[in-house]
Amino acid sequence: MQTDDRRAADLEELGLTNYEARVYLALIRRDVFTAAEVAREAGVPRQRVYDVLEGLIRRQLAVLHPGRVAGYSAIAPDTAVERLIEQQRRSLGRLERLSTELARELTPTFDSGRTHTDPLDYVEVLRDANDIGERFARLQTTAERELLSFSKPPWFTPPENLAGLEASARLHAAGRTVRSLYSREVLEDPALVEVMHLFVDAGEEIRIADELPLKMIIADGSTVLCDMPDPVARDSATTSLCIRHPSLAEALALTFHSIWDRSLTLSEALKDRQPTESAAGAATGSAAAGSLEVSKAAEPDDSQA
């Protein structure tokens, strides 16, 4: 039975249907079969066997013997296989002619389509916070040469930006560039300062700018993701644009490097902030002392009373 199944599958490869293959394999077992006999032998429904036999006769793989009860017999296998191969050759020839003609007809439409581009097909507008976060992570994960970013409130912190830490470590290990400019407000939050140290340890270069125009990341000098806060809607409303345009990325990279060159390193910014904090503390102490002196001066002198 397994042998018949394999042979039937081979005949199907040559172009027969499953029923045709099974009926032909049944016919070669005997000189002549009636339709009922071959249906039983091949395991084909009797109501279908006549159509199957007619198909084999049209393919010149079986012969009809007319009589009071019609009989059917198979032609020799070598002849049958050769005829099937010839039918496949003719079919292939037709397909080759059809494919050549079809390709010739479709090519002008294809060429015409290449000249039409949507002027905004390189701009993706993102409004959902999850979508923005996913695109931000994907840009970092897929970056191969360079990441440049403007970071200003609100900031991503681990574990929210694990992709950024991994990208920093990966690109640094490969000798690539990872640089971030943070706005000065970051120094007011000790937790965020710790986060920056994590990125520095991973290989990222960080500098502190007095002000940044927007929140942005440039990946591989070709793709820009930037936040565009809505000036009309509620304070937290923002729209992010993902723009795949090397010329825009190059222009924004020039802006980045211009601010980078005049900004302090993280260590410089932290040292620069310490004297300010000390002076503020001293001023607070002086004010308190002055207040105390005024209070004392206002007290009545018992010796003169």
Side-chain angles (χ1 to χ4, degrees):
M1 186 64 180
Q2 290 181 349
T3 301
D4 281 351
D5 289 341
R6 179 180 58 79
R7 289 170 176 170
D10 291 341
L11 288 170
E12 288 178 55
E13 288 286 335
L14 291 174
L16 294 185
T17 67
N18 180 262
Y19 279 178
E20 286 174 339
R22 286 157 58 182
V23 167
Y24 179 80
L25 291 174
L27 288 174
I28 64 174
R29 297 187 187 123
R30 207 161 76 195
D31 186 40
V32 178
F33 276 96
T34 65
E37 290 171 338
V38 78
R40 203 164 42 247
E41 184 74 13
V44 173
R46 186 165 179 177
Q47 63 270 26
R48 292 293 312 280
V49 75
Y50 292 100
D51 292 338
V52 174
L53 286 166
E54 288 179 10
L56 291 174
I57 292 170
R58 284 196 304 273
R59 289 174 177 269
Q60 298 181 324
L61 304 181
V63 177
L64 169 65
H65 302 285
R68 187 174 62 82
V69 178
Y72 300 87
S73 59
I75 66 166
D78 55 346
T79 303
V81 169
E82 181 57 35
R83 286 177 179 172
L84 287 172
I85 291 294
E86 182 58 32
Q87 290 169 10
Q88 292 289 349
R89 289 195 188 102
R90 289 197 298 269
S91 177
L92 180 60
R94 287 194 299 272
L95 288 175
E96 288 177 342
R97 290 191 297 273
L98 174 63
S99 62
T100 300
E101 182 179 349
L102 185 61
R104 186 171 58 250
E105 291 178 355
L106 295 180
T107 296
T109 303
F110 176 81
D111 291 341
S112 175
R114 303 286 72 72
T115 62
H116 173 73
T117 57
D118 185 338
L120 295 179
D121 62 0
Y122 50 83
V123 178
E124 183 179 3
V125 180
L126 303 168
R127 292 190 174 90
D128 181 77
N130 290 330
D131 292 340
I132 295 170
E134 289 176 6
R135 181 51 51 88
F136 178 57
R138 194 185 315 159
L139 278 180
Q140 296 173 102
T141 301
T142 58
E144 297 179 353
R145 302 187 309 278
E146 181 182 66
L147 284 173
L148 306 176
S149 65
F150 283 165
S151 296
K152 58 182 297 185
W155 285 283
F156 285 94
T157 58
E160 292 178 84
N161 194 22
L162 290 178
L165 282 172
E166 293 171 357
S168 295
R170 173 174 55 83
L171 292 173
H172 177 71
R176 306 303 186 184
T177 300
V178 190
R179 288 180 171 179
S180 287
L181 276 164
Y182 283 80
S183 59
R184 186 167 289 276
E185 300 98 312
V186 72
L187 300 177
E188 298 172 4
D189 189 331
L192 291 176
V193 173
E194 290 300 317
V195 169
M196 287 192 293
H197 282 302
L198 289 176
F199 277 88
V200 170
D201 292 342
E204 183 171 299
E205 299 178 71
I206 290 178
R207 290 192 180 183
I208 307 300
D210 289 333
E211 293 183 4
L212 292 174
L214 76 169
K215 190 173 180 181
M216 172 188 74
I217 185 168
I218 307 170
D220 290 339
S222 61
T223 303
V224 177
L225 178 66
C226 59
D227 277 357
M228 307 294 289
D230 193 323
V232 177
R234 64 189 187 279
D235 293 342
S236 61
T238 185
T239 296
S240 287
L241 301 180
C242 185
I243 307 170
R244 294 172 293 277
H245 198 295
S247 296
L248 175 65
E250 181 180 4
L252 291 174
L254 290 174
T255 301
F256 176 91
H257 290 300
S258 175
I259 299 175
W260 177 269
D261 289 341
R262 62 176 187 265
S263 298
L264 299 176
T265 65
L266 176 58
S267 59
E268 289 171 341
L270 290 172
K271 290 177 182 177
D272 184 59
R273 189 167 182 270
Q274 288 173 354
T276 302
E277 291 176 340
S278 299
T284 302
S286 298
S291 175
L292 181 59
E293 292 298 326
V294 170
S295 176
K296 286 182 176 180
E299 293 177 0
D301 188 343
D302 293 338
S303 64
Q304 298 178 0

